[in-house]
Amino acid sequence: MGLVPDSPSASPCFSRVVEECLGQQEQEGVSTKTIDDKRSVAALLVRIIGDMPIDLITRQDARKFRETALKLPPRLNQLPDGQSLEEVIKTATSTISLTTFNNYVKNLTTFFSYAIREGYCERNPFDGLRVKQRGKVSEERSVFTEEDLRRLFSK
């Protein structure tokens, strides 16, 4: 007996699940800023892998997201529109922190947890995708050089 190719998914597209989930969170009193942050991470995932039925998003898609997101500059939402992610990555002078990336994964996990509860999919492809950090986040932040301090206090 041959394998039957996968039938088209009956699950809603990722973007629809995001809007449902965020609508529920708004009713629960989640702040507008938090909702906007989650929406922008969802939009980034759609830019990287496309908007597909949520149950068709695989671990491979999640890895592609990680690979791409870790090369992106901070404050991506403040960059001019119309640039492809490849162009943005090519011209980036710095990249997002591991803390920021882990927050992205946390936000995406929210959507998949919601989708699992609603019966749209069975697993979260982002589970365990956070990047482990060695040392404290505060040690990762840039330290003032002697020159920086001189400039700061010379006025």
Side-chain angles (χ1 to χ4, degrees):
M1 189 169 150
L3 290 174
V4 180
D6 286 354
S7 59
S9 171
S11 287
C13 283
F14 176 73
S15 61
R16 201 179 107 214
V17 174
V18 166
E19 288 313 313
E20 266 183 40
C21 177
L22 293 179
Q24 187 179 3
Q25 289 196 344
E26 279 173 343
Q27 289 174 341
E28 293 166 0
V30 174
S31 78
T32 303
K33 185 194 179 320
T34 300
I35 299 277
D36 289 347
D37 288 349
K38 289 181 179 183
R39 187 173 279 122
S40 68
V41 173
L44 179 60
L45 178 62
V46 169
R47 266 183 91 174
I48 293 171
I49 68 164
D51 191 16
M52 61 180 90
I54 195 157
D55 65 334
L56 298 184
I57 298 174
T58 64
R59 184 66 172 194
Q60 192 174 343
D61 295 320
R63 282 196 293 270
K64 181 179 179 185
F65 175 83
R66 177 178 62 192
E67 207 175 282
T68 307
L70 286 170
K71 295 176 189 167
L72 292 171
R75 293 173 290 290
L76 184 63
N77 56 348
Q78 294 172 9
L79 294 174
D81 283 341
Q83 269 191 315
S84 73
L85 287 179
E86 290 76 24
E87 291 170 319
V88 169
I89 289 168
K90 221 182 288 175
T91 58
T93 54
S94 63
T95 57
I96 63 170
S97 70
L98 293 181
T99 302
T100 298
F101 174 76
N102 287 338
N103 285 334
Y104 286 1
V105 172
K106 186 178 77 180
N107 287 338
L108 292 170
T109 292
T110 302
F111 301 128
F112 282 93
S113 297
Y114 172 84
I116 291 166
R117 273 195 316 276
E118 294 297 314
Y120 297 146
C121 65
E122 290 178 13
R123 66 189 171 284
N124 171 10
F126 289 87
D127 192 32
L129 207 70
R130 287 183 181 176
V131 178
K132 300 220 182 337
Q133 294 174 283
R134 302 202 185 288
K136 296 180 186 156
V137 174
S138 59
E139 291 168 1
E140 199 181 292
R141 293 192 186 107
S142 57
V143 179
F144 286 114
T145 64
E146 218 170 295
E147 180 57 33
D148 293 333
L149 292 172
R150 236 181 259 120
R151 237 180 293 136
L152 253 174
F153 293 107
S154 66
K155 296 186 175 185

